[in-house]
Amino acid sequence: MLTLLDQLDKGTLWRSPGGIHPPEVKFLSNATPIGQLPLASTYLVPVPQVGENCTLAVKVGDSVLKGTPLTQGTSIWHLPVHAPTSGTIVAIEPRASNHASALPVNTCVIAADGKDTWCELVQNQLDDLSHQQIVDKVRSAGIAGMGGAAFPTHIKLNPVSEIDLVIINGVECEPYISADDSLMREYSRDILAGIGIIHRLLTPKRIVIAIEDNKPEAAKAMQAAVSQSGLPAGSIRVTVIPTKYPSGGEKQLIQIITGREVPSGAIPAKLGIVVHNVGTAYAIHQAVTQGKPLIERVVTVTGKNVSKPGNYWLPIGTPVDHVLTATEFTPEPDQKVIIGGPMMGHALANIQVPILKGTNCILVPSSQEIGSTPEEKACIRCGECATACPALLLPQQLFWHAKAEEYDKAASYNLKDCIECGCCSYVCPSDIPLVEYYRIAKSALKQAADEKQQAERAKQRFDARLARLEEEKLAREAKAKEASERRQASMTGTDKNAVAEAMARIAAKKAAAAQAITGESITEESSVTTTDTTEVPKGKAAVAAAIVRAKAKRAAQANADGTDTNGAETDSARTDNMVNVDANDSISATDAIAQEAPLSQKDKVAAAIARAKAKKAAQQTDTVPLEPTETADSTSELSAADDKKAKVAAAVARAKAKKAAQQAETAASDIEVSNTEISVSDVNDAEAIKKAKVAAAVARAKAKKAAQQAETNTENGLSQTATPAVDSTASVHADVNADAETAVNAVATDIEVSITDVSVNDAEAIKKAKVAAAVARAKAKKIAAASAESKTDAEIESVDEIRAEDNVASPSIAATHDTATTEAEAVLPSVGSTAEPIETAPLSSDELKKARIAATIAKAKAKKAALAQEANASSDSSVTND
């Protein structure tokens, strides 16, 4: 069985799939030798042209010589560009690119000086250079694939795997292009010299120069050069292949020469094969042996609208419009200028673009050659595109997905293996520009891949930055820790104390700042604590002690006044003294509290209110005896008997009125003491508010009882009055009712003030307390009016009947007290909290206990009042009998 090398030596060829046979028009340009065009006034050199990561080596205003590097870089993919002629850098700015999109790229604009002076060139002997030096020279010369792909040549010359076969591509299958044909015919020896350098670097087992059979002169020239070269015999041969488009494609040519197919996504080097263009071999020879960079190339200028078609040496960066002008271009309406051949080239949108390293043809066809672009029609699914595809793809599927912008699905059909040869578009009966759709899809996929790669690089940089910052942080912490340990080791006792004091000051400042924010200070907190724990018990003890002293004083005064038994006047004086003592004792108790215990501001306010109430009660009591006096004076015209009875009745009424006032004042005093206890304890305490409300209810009940007692006493007094003294008695009765009403009003007013003092913020409770006081006053007025109306015309026989009625009325006082207590308990819910009624929020055990104690105290005081009333009634009866 023959090996691959044996088959190559015999000239065995394989058939490639697909392909077409377009008409050839090479004769327009290959009939004349390669020519030269006049220098342009301005050259446009894009940077970079191949690769990436380059920096400019020149700036605006610099003078450059022919062959001067314009860029520099360290990346393996970077290829420098050089000045195509001598001149001055007049601008570095974006200019239109040599692309179908005409997108702007950064461009060095060189104004030529017309001298075309070379920079210093270094010529070398090939034997004096190492492999790496040869590769570096190829790279520094900026040599890229001259067949159109413009792949960096130095990468192909330094493969990672062993190379068995090198193919020199001289096929040039495009129907209009003849640049490689002319180059092989005129520079065959230079091409063979470049092939010798490639052989030295790669040391392949075979080198095959492939040429189509439509270039017989080029084949003969290359065969002659091979025979004269110094390469080992049998290691290199010229192989002529059938003319077919696109036989010049890298993968297609490998398949024709070797019968092997390059896997999808792989490169020929994996099969041990490398492909170079004949123009690339020529540039390698120029760079290594003569030191010339790649600054010019052979370009085919052809088309029926060019008067001087042919192949020309054009400097890289020469504007296309200058080339067309030099070749006497005569444009037509809607004229197309195509870069590359009619199959794989692209039309320019702007002819003010430069010649690049991969530019091998400028085509300006007439309308008879190509014609107008036909209108795209719907795909008829004929399958001709799949038959013509040399890469064995499914162009129809690729078209549908590319048109629907489903680029991922198009990629799944091996879109990247498309060589954009244009065979599918050429054979499509619907005139669909299939290759244009594929190019758009490839660009979109490439952009997405670039963005993904950039994002991945950004993520790597970010992760590296975080790691660096973390390392720096740990290093700083370790350094600070070491410095702290050194300071502590060298620190004396005094220094340590100073540090401790500084830390204490810092802590104090922080605490002060926190107190300033919350509006409270350490002193205020301390004073509140002292008041809550120390002053409140002192205040309660002072209140209790003052009350005990007042009661003792009042008892002593009562004993002193009891020695005088001069009838009704003495009783009246004793009653006045008791009222005054009570008032004074109340004031003295309040003063004693203020003197004995340092009270808070709230406690002082409560004590002042208590003193004011006591004075008010004393003033009301002092005014009571005046009115009966005037009434007694109005009876001077009566008879002696009637006058005597009227005086007795007036004295009794006056005594009972004083007693009623005294009871009212006692109730008010009880409320004051209760309020004082609440204020001293905690004015804002909810429990104290409830106590105050209970006390108010009890006070209302006492007021009602006082009114009833006044009414009963008045009725008793009027029963003892004789008939002729009706007017005087009525007047006295009215005065007594007025006194009772005044006492009740005073108690009601005190209730309102007490409730207001206890809970200023409880608006609903205050409102209800005021209503209760108003109701109490109304009831008192109603009772007084009813008593006056019902008892005005009553006739009582004797003073004994007054005694009898008094004895009957005495049990009713206890009943009245019970009624008052019941009413107080009923009124209590009415002054409760509006937010949470008592029915739905029961009192705690302590609150119930305190309420029961208050009720018991009220009952005891009612019994005491009843006993006092009985004693007064007995005294009145004895005075009358006398």
Side-chain angles (χ1 to χ4, degrees):
M1 183 176 179
L2 296 176
T3 63
L4 176 61
L5 297 179
D6 295 337
Q7 292 176 348
L8 290 175
D9 292 339
K10 289 180 63 175
T12 305
L13 299 177
W14 283 262
R15 184 183 299 274
S16 65
I20 58 174
H21 294 84
E24 294 184 5
V25 199
K26 293 179 182 290
F27 62 89
L28 290 176
S29 58
N30 64 1
T32 59
I34 301 173
Q36 291 278 353
L37 293 179
L39 290 174
S41 60
T42 303
Y43 287 84
L44 308 174
V45 184
V47 288
Q49 290 185 28
V50 179
E52 57 184 10
N53 298 331
C54 71
T55 57
L56 284 170
V58 294
K59 61 182 182 297
V60 176
D62 289 352
S63 296
V64 294
L65 298 175
K66 186 177 181 178
T68 302
L70 302 179
T71 62
Q72 58 187 6
T74 58
S75 172
I76 189 175
W77 293 98
H78 169 254
L79 280 181
V81 293
H82 303 77
T85 187
S86 59
T88 304
I89 305 294
V90 296
I92 301 176
E93 59 188 11
R95 293 291 184 95
S97 63
N98 187 345
H99 190 266
S101 64
L103 292 174
V105 295
N106 204 27
T107 304
C108 285
V109 181
I110 302 175
D113 57 8
K115 298 178 181 180
D116 201 28
T117 305
W118 273 96
C119 65
E120 183 179 357
L121 299 178
V122 179
Q123 298 182 359
N124 299 285
Q125 293 295 326
L126 185 61
D127 296 336
D128 298 336
L129 300 174
S130 65
H131 287 193
Q132 187 60 44
Q133 288 176 335
I134 294 173
V135 173
D136 292 341
K137 281 186 170 294
V138 172
R139 178 187 177 185
S140 61
I143 299 174
M146 307 288 284
F151 188 83
T153 301
H154 68 278
I155 296 177
K156 283 187 176 182
L157 293 177
N158 192 23
V160 295
S161 58
E162 184 178 354
I163 301 302
D164 296 329
L165 176 64
V166 173
I167 298 176
I168 305 300
N169 187 355
V171 174
E172 199 173 38
C173 57
E174 277 277 1
Y176 275 84
I177 303 176
S178 61
D180 292 344
D181 183 13
S182 299
L183 187 65
M184 286 186 290
R185 284 186 292 175
E186 299 183 24
Y187 297 94
S188 58
R189 291 185 179 180
D190 293 331
I191 293 172
L192 258 296
I195 294 173
I197 295 173
I198 295 172
H199 181 273
R200 179 180 174 181
L201 294 175
L202 301 178
T203 62
K205 296 177 180 179
R206 294 289 187 275
I207 296 178
V208 176
I209 302 173
I211 304 173
E212 279 185 320
D213 57 8
N214 60 356
K215 305 176 182 65
E217 295 180 0
K220 290 179 181 180
M222 293 301 298
Q223 187 64 48
V226 168
S227 61
Q228 296 177 2
S229 66
L231 294 174
S235 63
I236 184 170
R237 59 169 293 138
V238 177
T239 300
V240 179
I241 65 174
T243 300
K244 183 182 180 181
Y245 179 83
S247 299
E250 185 178 59
K251 294 182 178 180
Q252 285 70 36
L253 184 58
I254 291 173
Q255 193 170 8
I256 292 172
I257 298 297
T258 65
R260 296 181 180 181
E261 183 178 356
V262 179
S264 175
I267 59 176
K270 290 188 176 181
L271 299 178
I273 301 172
V274 170
V275 180
H276 287 285
N277 185 263
V278 292
T280 305
Y282 175 81
I284 290 172
H285 166 68
Q286 293 287 312
V288 175
T289 60
Q290 299 182 20
K292 290 183 178 181
L294 180 58
I295 59 170
E296 60 180 358
R297 65 158 298 153
V298 178
V299 179
T300 299
V301 181
T302 184
K304 291 186 177 181
N305 287 342
V306 177
S307 300
K308 296 179 180 181
N311 295 293
Y312 299 94
W313 285 104
L314 297 180
I316 306 300
T318 304
V320 172
D321 64 336
H322 169 74
V323 176
L324 295 178
T325 301
T327 56
E328 300 179 0
F329 166 58
T330 56
E332 294 180 355
D334 299 329
Q335 177 68 57
K336 286 186 177 180
V337 177
I338 300 173
I339 296 295
M343 300 303 295
M344 300 183 69
H346 59 271
L348 292 176
N350 184 358
I351 61 175
Q352 296 290 334
V353 295
I355 299 297
L356 303 178
K357 296 178 180 181
T359 303
N360 56 5
C361 177
I362 300 175
L363 175 61
V364 282
S366 65
S367 58
Q368 291 80 15
E369 289 180 276
I370 294 182
S372 59
T373 303
E375 182 181 357
E376 178 182 343
K377 295 176 284 293
C379 176
I380 61 174
R381 303 187 181 186
C382 61
E384 290 294 330
C385 56
T387 302
C389 181
L392 298 177
L393 301 177
L394 297 175
Q396 186 175 325
Q397 293 293 125
L398 295 174
F399 162 68
W400 288 336
H401 292 308
K403 188 174 183 179
E405 298 183 359
E406 297 173 346
Y407 302 129
D408 292 338
K409 292 184 178 179
S412 67
Y413 284 90
N414 299 320
L415 175 63
K416 61 184 178 181
D417 291 335
C418 174
I419 62 174
E420 302 179 17
C421 63
C423 292
C424 54
S425 300
Y426 185 82
V427 300
C428 181
S430 298
D431 298 321
I432 300 174
L434 297 171
V435 176
E436 300 299 327
Y437 284 104
Y438 305 155
R439 286 173 177 169
I440 292 173
K442 282 184 175 181
S443 298
L445 290 172
K446 184 177 183 300
Q447 182 179 1
D450 291 344
E451 291 176 354
K452 183 178 180 181
Q453 187 177 14
Q454 291 176 1
E456 184 64 24
R457 290 177 180 176
K459 183 179 182 299
Q460 293 176 358
R461 291 195 303 270
F462 181 73
D463 293 341
R465 178 178 179 272
L466 290 181
R468 185 179 70 255
L469 293 177
E470 185 65 21
E471 292 177 358
E472 293 176 356
K473 179 182 176 182
L474 294 176
R476 288 195 302 269
E477 291 178 353
K479 186 176 180 180
K481 184 177 180 181
E482 293 176 359
S484 177
E485 291 176 354
R486 288 195 301 268
R487 286 194 300 270
Q488 290 180 358
S490 61
M491 188 179 297
T492 62
T494 305
D495 295 336
K496 291 181 180 180
N497 294 335
V499 170
E501 292 175 358
M503 295 297 293
R505 288 195 298 272
I506 292 172
K509 289 182 179 180
K510 289 182 179 179
Q515 292 172 356
I517 293 173
T518 57
E520 297 179 357
S521 63
I522 298 175
T523 305
E524 292 174 346
E525 293 177 359
S526 177
S527 64
V528 170
T529 304
T530 304
T531 301
D532 292 340
T533 59
T534 306
E535 292 184 1
V536 171
K538 286 184 178 181
K540 290 182 178 180
V543 170
I547 292 173
V548 170
R549 287 195 301 272
K551 288 182 178 180
K553 186 177 180 180
R554 183 176 62 186
Q557 188 68 30
N559 293 332
D561 294 339
T563 56
D564 188 3
T565 56
N566 293 325
E569 296 296 337
T570 303
D571 181 73
S572 176
R574 184 172 59 253
T575 303
D576 292 339
N577 290 334
M578 292 175 67
V579 172
N580 292 331
V581 167
D582 289 340
N584 293 330
D585 290 344
S586 177
I587 296 172
S588 299
T590 305
D591 293 337
I593 294 171
Q595 293 175 1
E596 293 183 6
L599 301 178
S600 63
Q601 187 65 25
K602 295 179 180 179
D603 297 336
K604 293 177 181 179
V605 171
I609 292 172
R611 287 195 298 271
K613 290 179 179 178
K615 291 180 180 179
K616 180 178 178 182
Q619 292 174 357
Q620 290 177 350
T621 306
D622 292 338
T623 58
V624 170
L626 297 177
E627 294 176 0
T629 304
E630 294 177 359
T631 304
D633 293 339
S634 64
T635 60
S636 58
E637 297 178 358
L638 297 178
S639 61
D642 294 336
D643 184 54
K644 183 177 180 181
K645 292 181 179 180
K647 289 181 180 180
V648 171
V652 172
R654 193 166 49 251
K656 291 183 177 181
K658 290 182 179 179
K659 180 180 179 181
Q662 180 182 356
Q663 291 175 350
E665 190 274 334
T666 303
S669 177
D670 293 339
I671 294 172
E672 289 168 4
V673 173
S674 176
N675 289 340
T676 302
E677 293 177 355
I678 293 170
S679 300
V680 172
S681 176
D682 189 355
V683 176
N684 293 324
D685 192 358
E687 181 180 353
I689 294 173
K690 291 180 181 180
K691 291 179 181 180
K693 292 173 182 177
V694 171
V698 173
R700 281 196 298 275
K702 289 181 179 181
K704 184 175 180 181
K705 180 186 70 174
Q708 291 175 352
Q709 289 176 353
E711 177 186 358
T712 302
N713 294 336
T714 303
E715 290 176 356
N716 293 338
L718 291 176
S719 298
Q720 297 174 1
T721 305
T723 302
V726 173
D727 295 335
S728 176
T729 305
S731 176
V732 172
H733 177 70
D735 292 337
V736 172
N737 287 337
D739 293 338
E741 181 180 352
T742 300
V744 172
N745 290 340
V747 174
T749 302
D750 292 340
I751 293 170
E752 293 175 356
V753 174
S754 176
I755 295 299
T756 304
D757 293 338
V758 172
S759 180
V760 178
N761 295 325
D762 195 351
E764 189 66 24
I766 294 171
K767 182 177 179 181
K768 290 185 177 182
K770 291 180 179 180
V771 170
V775 171
R777 284 194 295 269
K779 287 182 179 181
K781 290 180 180 180
K782 182 177 180 182
I783 293 170
S787 300
E789 183 177 355
S790 60
K791 296 298 181 178
T792 301
D793 298 329
E795 295 181 358
I796 306 300
E797 291 288 332
S798 63
V799 179
D800 293 334
E801 293 178 359
I802 297 175
R803 173 68 178 175
E805 288 179 5
D806 249 359
N807 292 333
V808 174
S810 296
S812 67
I813 294 175
T816 302
H817 165 70
D818 294 337
T819 302
T821 304
T822 304
E823 182 179 348
E825 296 174 352
V827 172
L828 179 59
S830 67
V831 295
S833 175
T834 57
E836 187 177 359
I838 294 177
E839 290 80 3
T840 58
L843 297 175
S844 63
S845 59
D846 293 336
E847 292 171 347
L848 290 174
K849 182 177 180 180
K850 293 178 180 180
R852 288 170 184 162
I853 291 172
T856 303
I857 293 171
K859 291 178 181 179
K861 291 183 178 181
K863 289 180 180 180
K864 179 179 179 181
L867 294 174
Q869 188 173 1
E870 289 181 3
N872 292 335
S874 300
S875 176
D876 293 340
S877 178
S878 62
V879 171
T880 303
N881 292 332
D882 294 338

